[in-house]
Amino acid sequence: MRTEQKETFGRLLFYSQEANGTFLILETPLEYIVDSSRLAISFVSLLSAVLLVLGGIASFLVARKISRPIQEIDQVAQKLTQLDFSRRCQVRSKDEIGALGQSINIMADRLESNIGLLQQRNELLQKDLQREEETNRLRREFIANVSHDFKTPLSLISAYAETLKEDDNENPEAAQYCDIIVEQAGRMNAMVNQLLSLSRLESKMVTLRRTFFSINDLIYSVLTDCRILMEKNGIHCQPVLSKELYVEGDYQLTTNVITNLVENAIKYAANEKILRIYLEERGKVVRIWVFDTCDPVPEEVLRHLFDSFYKADKSRGLEKQSYGLGLAIVKAIAELHGCQYGVEQQSDGLSFWFELPKVDMDAQEEEPEDWEEPTEGDSQVAP
């Protein structure tokens, strides 16, 4: 026997009693209400799904419309960072994004124009630097060749003049002329030696022989050698070297630097004619100062004192035996050491200086393997 179960629903009854005692009764089956609610739920669910899909599509389209110009702007900006100006932003709207794209395009145009101009100027500058380097190379070669060619004739002139003086002792006037020839030949020979030294230094043909040495002893040695010259010119030397300091560098080249600075001070010291040398510890370096009293020097002159053949007073020369090369040699030697140099104006004179690496001898437990005692013959450069 089969039994079928079927969902059954009751009825929904509404009633109301009137004032006169009459009852108003409304009756509806519950099955109708349930079917209506199920239909409504199905409709709302379907409508929600449709709206959700449509909303997702609409959101995607709107987001794409907004993000696509931003992505394009980002790509153009990435190109700009690589100095690639081949792309521009497509401005499709007049809103903030469109304004941003327009600004990016304007910036790209100006960058392209300015960088193109900079590249042109850079090419011109490179050509100028190449021409200057070639000119300097030719100048160094010319100076070296001419100086080398001058040495032999000058030596012959000096030798023949001395021979004539010895052979003609009866003519005082001829002997005087021979003395003048010998003196001028000696001056020219000194200039030629300086030119050769400067040419070798500027061409990096000099090999540094680095050693450790007492800068105090070196300064006293130079002052001893220049003592007669200082006495002749009435120079009052005041070395202030209370503490002994050791430095690292080429002994002979450093001697040439100090000799050139001292001789320069002797030549141009004025007023009280005081020459003062003192040392200053500045961290890992020692600064050597050479001061001489003189009249104030214009700032324009100070900037060129280390240039070759530069003379602040164009009329000076023979009486001071100066060719504008001593300070140029100081500059070349300092640059060869990779050290700083300079000049400072004081209230009563000029102070020239250069630096060398300081050496703490107490910390040196043993001499390095490449230690070499400084000798007078190492790295000779004419002062």
Side-chain angles (χ1 to χ4, degrees), residues 107-209:
M107 181 182 68
D109 293 336
R110 292 181 178 177
L111 281 176
E112 184 176 14
S113 176
N114 293 334
I115 291 178
L117 182 60
L118 287 175
Q119 289 176 343
Q120 293 177 0
R121 293 181 177 178
N122 183 60
E123 292 176 358
L124 294 176
L125 180 60
Q126 292 292 335
K127 293 179 180 178
D128 291 340
L129 291 175
Q130 292 176 358
R131 285 196 295 267
E132 182 179 0
E133 179 62 28
E134 181 66 16
T135 301
N136 290 335
R137 184 185 65 81
L138 294 175
R139 177 182 62 83
R140 291 193 295 267
E141 291 181 357
F142 173 77
I143 291 175
N145 294 333
V146 171
S147 301
H148 185 271
D149 293 339
F150 273 1
K151 287 185 69 66
T152 300
L154 287 174
S155 300
L156 293 175
I157 291 172
S158 180
Y160 280 120
E162 291 177 353
T163 302
L164 287 175
K165 179 181 177 181
E166 293 175 357
D167 294 342
D168 193 3
N169 295 326
E170 298 179 356
N171 190 344
E173 187 176 357
Q176 182 181 2
Y177 292 159
C178 289
D179 289 338
I180 294 175
I181 293 174
V182 171
E183 180 183 0
Q184 296 304 320
R187 290 182 176 181
M188 292 187 66
N189 189 59
M191 182 186 69
V192 168
N193 288 334
Q194 285 190 330
L195 284 172
L196 287 173
S197 300
L198 182 61
S199 177
R200 292 177 64 233
L201 289 168
E202 290 182 341
S203 301
K204 303 297 188 294
M205 296 174 61
V206 177
T207 302
L208 289 179
R209 299 173 64 89

Side-chain angles (χ1 to χ4, degrees), residues 53 60 155 237 240:
V53 173
F60 173 76
S155 300
C237 183
V240 184

Side-chain angles (χ1 to χ4, degrees), residues 330-361:
V330 171
K331 171 185 175 181
I333 294 176
E335 290 179 347
L336 190 63
H337 279 81
C339 298
Q340 300 294 320
Y341 63 93
V343 58
E344 294 183 9
Q345 184 154 230
Q346 310 296 334
S347 58
D348 54 347
L350 286 181
S351 290
F352 292 88
W353 59 268
F354 75 102
E355 296 176 344
L356 286 173
K358 183 175 66 175
V359 177
D360 186 2
M361 297 303 294

Side-chain angles (χ1 to χ4, degrees), residues 360-372:
D360 186 2
M361 297 303 294
D362 295 334
Q364 302 292 327
E365 297 181 358
E366 58 182 8
E367 293 181 350
E369 294 181 359
D370 58 348
W371 167 269
E372 297 180 14

Side-chain angles (χ1 to χ4, degrees), residues 289-306:
W289 293 87
V290 179
F291 166 83
D292 66 281
T293 55
C294 63
D295 295 328
V297 178
E299 187 66 28
E300 179 65 22
V301 174
L302 289 179
R303 290 198 292 267
H304 296 284
L305 285 180
F306 289 94

Side-chain angles (χ1 to χ4, degrees), residues 48-79:
S48 299
V50 172
L51 291 176
L52 182 61
V53 173
L54 294 177
I57 295 174
S59 299
F60 173 76
L61 295 177
V62 172
R64 184 179 181 183
K65 183 178 180 181
I66 296 175
S67 62
R68 186 174 181 180
I70 296 176
Q71 292 177 349
E72 184 178 0
I73 291 173
D74 178 69
Q75 293 174 359
V76 174
Q78 291 292 335
K79 292 287 186 180

